[in-house]
Amino acid sequence: MLTAKDIKGFVFAAGLGTRLKPLTDSIPKALVTVDDKTLLDIVLENLSAQGINDFVVNVHHFAEKIIEVLKNRNNVTISDESALLCDTGGAVKHARTILGSAPFLIHNVDIISNFSLNYMLENHRDNAIATLLVSERNTSRYLLFNGDMRLVGWTNVSTGEVKSPFKNLNVENCRKLAFAGIHLLSNEVHPLMDNYPDKFSIIDFYLDNAEKFEIYGLVQPDFKMVDVGKPESLAKAADFLNATK
């Protein structure tokens, strides 16, 4: 079984943070504070406390401000996307050299949760190229899984759109779960991205490869999270942090 020391942490901190305007008019989303602590520090401290020692952080929007904040952390390497915001899949391709041969955990910088790394490591299957943390919560877009929790598709329930590599997929027979922005990836994903453009979505990558390779969802019991996407979610995030101290 993988241990925390076997993996790198990859914090997605390059986003424009448009939903957090006007806060992100002058600072990157990663440096927005909750109870006087930045979102970036919250994620790094959480993952460090769970045993990850080596981190990659991608930057784009106000990149220099994040680089300045992290300059004294000798266990963090910057993946600089200043020239092009690579999207979630492109971010992995762009950071391939930095990530090296280690498995890696991706964590969105705007997710605050009671995520358990040990639970994910214990339930990551040996043949899987990725394990995606998912939960039952109301949203418009869901990942679709079969009875074995293998990824088989995606749907937008507001529009009825469905994406799947499996022909004649019956959405009604699938389990609909919301992605939590936390996922564990094998280094086997790197060569699979060779023919992808510099900018692409990791979800599209998963859907493209879900038939050929094993990608699984994982539901953590009693999982709770706050998506710090809008200014009004900051108070909810502060309450969440105080409740979990």
Side-chain angles (χ1 to χ4, degrees):
M1 187 187 87
L2 287 174
T3 69
K5 289 180 170 49
D6 297 324
I7 66 176
K8 289 189 177 184
F10 190 177
V11 181
F12 278 177
L16 300 175
T18 51
R19 293 183 300 154
L20 275 170
K21 281 179 172 287
L23 295 173
T24 49
D25 287 338
S26 57
I27 59 171
K29 175 171 60 175
L31 299 186
V32 169
T33 58
V34 176
D35 267 3
D36 298 323
K37 189 173 288 189
T38 68
L39 293 175
L40 181 57
D41 275 339
I42 291 168
V43 172
L44 289 174
E45 289 176 11
N46 180 16
L47 297 182
S48 294
Q50 297 195 61
I52 297 180
N53 298 319
D54 195 0
F55 293 94
V56 177
V57 175
N58 70 339
V59 296
H60 173 82
H61 185 55
F62 291 113
E64 71 285 353
K65 295 192 175 186
I66 299 178
I67 292 170
E68 176 66 21
V69 165
L70 294 174
K71 68 180 181 181
N72 294 322
R73 288 184 183 251
N74 58 16
N75 66 336
V76 176
T77 303
I78 297 294
S79 179
D80 194 344
E81 298 179 22
S82 296
L84 175 69
L85 183 58
C86 297
D87 204 344
T88 50
V92 174
K93 183 177 181 180
H94 185 75
R96 177 176 181 172
T97 303
I98 302 170
L99 292 167
S101 61
F104 55 100
L105 179 90
I106 294 175
H107 195 303
N108 289 1
V109 77
D110 53 5
I111 298 298
I112 297 176
S113 75
N114 63 345
F115 161 67
S116 168
L117 177 59
N118 278 343
Y119 187 80
M120 177 169 274
L121 294 174
E122 288 169 358
N123 289 278
H124 178 69
R125 309 190 200 192
D126 290 340
N127 294 328
I129 64 166
T131 299
L132 287 53
L133 188 66
V134 291
S135 65
E136 293 183 349
R137 68 178 192 278
N138 291 327
T139 183
S140 59
R141 293 168 293 182
Y142 291 96
L143 293 175
L144 303 174
F145 299 90
N146 67 13
D148 192 36
M149 284 299 291
R150 183 169 174 173
L151 180 69
V152 293
W154 171 96
T155 187
N156 184 328
V157 294
S158 297
T159 64
E161 182 183 7
V162 175
K163 296 179 183 179
S164 174
F166 296 93
K167 294 179 180 178
N168 304 318
L169 180 75
N170 187 337
V171 174
E172 296 309 311
N173 291 337
C174 298
R175 190 169 179 188
K176 300 183 184 72
L177 294 161
F179 184 41
I182 302 171
H183 31 149
L184 178 63
L185 291 80
S186 163
N187 62 0
E188 293 175 32
V189 302
H190 294 308
L192 301 179
M193 293 180 172
D194 284 346
N195 294 324
Y196 280 77
D198 291 338
K199 181 174 184 175
F200 64 95
S201 160
I202 194 74
I203 295 298
D204 287 344
F205 169 80
Y206 288 149
L207 294 171
D208 289 345
N209 290 279
E211 186 175 18
K212 298 185 291 284
F213 299 94
E214 295 179 32
I215 301 168
Y216 292 98
L218 180 67
V219 177
Q220 177 183 313
D222 302 319
F223 178 71
K224 296 179 178 63
M225 62 169 275
V226 178
D227 178 354
V228 189
K230 298 178 181 178
E232 54 266 32
S233 62
L234 293 171
K236 184 186 291 186
D239 291 342
F240 181 90
L241 287 177
N242 290 324
T244 54
K245 284 180 180 176

